[in-house]
Amino acid sequence: MSDNYGLPDILKTGQNELEIIDFRIYEDREEGIYEWILGVNVAKVREVLRTPPLTKIPNMPPQVEGMAEIRGELIPVISLAKWMNIKEPPERKKYLLFMEFLREKVGVIIHKANRIRRISWKDIKKAPDVINQRLNGRITGVVEVEDGLLLILDFEGILNDMNLLQVFNVPTPEEKRLAKKKLRVLVAEDSAVARKILKDILESAGHEVILTESGKQAWETLQKIFQEASQYGKSVKDYVDIVLTDIEMPEMDGLTLVNLIKNTPGFLNLPVIVNTTLSDEANQQKAKNVKADDYLVKFDAKNLLQLLEKYGGGENNDS
């Protein structure tokens, strides 16, 4: 019986689909009002509400409008229009995406929450450079919708631009030296900011890193490794000790990647850790359904290194 039996669609795994909130930001240009079509994973959004009263606070980035009390919690509120460096139309109604990811709660001011869309990751393409450069390289993918091109934003990168992104539990040099084995880690991660952070964490602990930018690219890399391993009578584990994958990636999401690894001969014993911004129980259950070895919310450096050591196994690679 399938592990997906009896589950609602949104919890089924291997679907390579996600639900996004399609929202809009309006720009006041000389030729008229331009409508930016933007998107974010529903799993990162707790609710959409009218922008509440804001309290200004000192020594914050200019994109941070202030703090707001929402459901009894005080959270920072950022202006997406200010981050985009665009002029907003006067008297435009504003709404708030109350978001939770990376263990943080943050409010994001938008102009309109349009609808929820269910789309396939294979329909999400890499953003053209000319568009991505316009938004500081913070677009993880684009998808055609009926009224234009929807841009899926890299909120990890956006928070990093404002110095609001945190790396937790950074190991001391002594703790890093306690690592029993230097591992070869294949990383599947579409965010340039996250790739750099992960590369720094892993290499500082002495591990070797193979970077890929999507689940599809990671799977193609693993297939090439399998072909080379087979040619020399070796196994995939002679080339890669463990896979570390994000969930949200264009063309092929991380859960589909895990599903492929755990159901393809030659890869069955390859450990896979899901490393994501998403802390909700639904995505943790999805990862469990596809037999991921563990689940980690970014960016807990010490826990990440401990999990790598736990699942890396085998003999030391220093020889």
Side-chain angles (χ1 to χ4, degrees), residues 237-256:
K237 287 292 292 292
D238 290 314
Y239 295 81
V240 178
D241 292 293
I242 195 164
V243 174
L244 185 66
T245 181
D246 189 16
I247 290 180
E248 305 171 276
M249 294 180 289
E251 298 182 307
M252 181 192 293
D253 72 290
L255 295 175
T256 300

Side-chain angles (χ1 to χ4, degrees), residues 216-232:
K216 181 174 182 286
Q217 190 179 109
W219 181 239
E220 290 171 349
T221 300
L222 285 171
Q223 288 179 307
K224 290 177 183 177
I225 289 172
F226 176 75
Q227 290 170 2
E228 182 176 342
S230 300
Q231 183 178 351
Y232 293 101

Side-chain angles (χ1 to χ4, degrees), residues 146-197:
E146 62 277 0
D147 49 352
L149 197 63
L150 184 148
L151 315 178
I152 299 176
L153 296 180
D154 173 14
F155 276 94
E156 295 165 61
I158 291 172
L159 289 189
N160 187 68
D161 291 341
M162 303 177 196
N163 295 315
L164 298 177
L165 192 64
Q166 298 186 55
V167 177
F168 297 85
N169 295 328
V170 178
T172 65
E174 291 75 19
E175 288 173 325
K176 290 176 182 176
R177 284 196 291 269
L178 291 176
K180 298 176 182 178
K181 180 184 178 186
K182 293 182 179 179
L183 302 170
R184 293 153 299 197
V185 185
L186 189 147
V187 174
E189 172 59 66
D190 65 326
S191 166
V193 168
R195 281 198 303 274
K196 183 181 186 306
I197 291 173

Side-chain angles (χ1 to χ4, degrees), residues 32 44 88 114 119 153 164 206 222 248 251 268 273 293:
K44 292 181 178 177
E88 297 179 84
N114 192 49
I119 56 178
L153 296 180
L164 298 177
L222 285 171
E248 305 171 276
E251 298 182 307
L268 304 182
I273 297 173
D293 292 272

Side-chain angles (χ1 to χ4, degrees), residues 121 124-126 140-141 190 213-215 248-252:
W121 278 112
I124 300 173
K125 307 304 180 186
K126 185 177 179 181
T140 59
D190 65 326
E213 298 182 11
S214 70
E248 305 171 276
M249 294 180 289
E251 298 182 307
M252 181 192 293

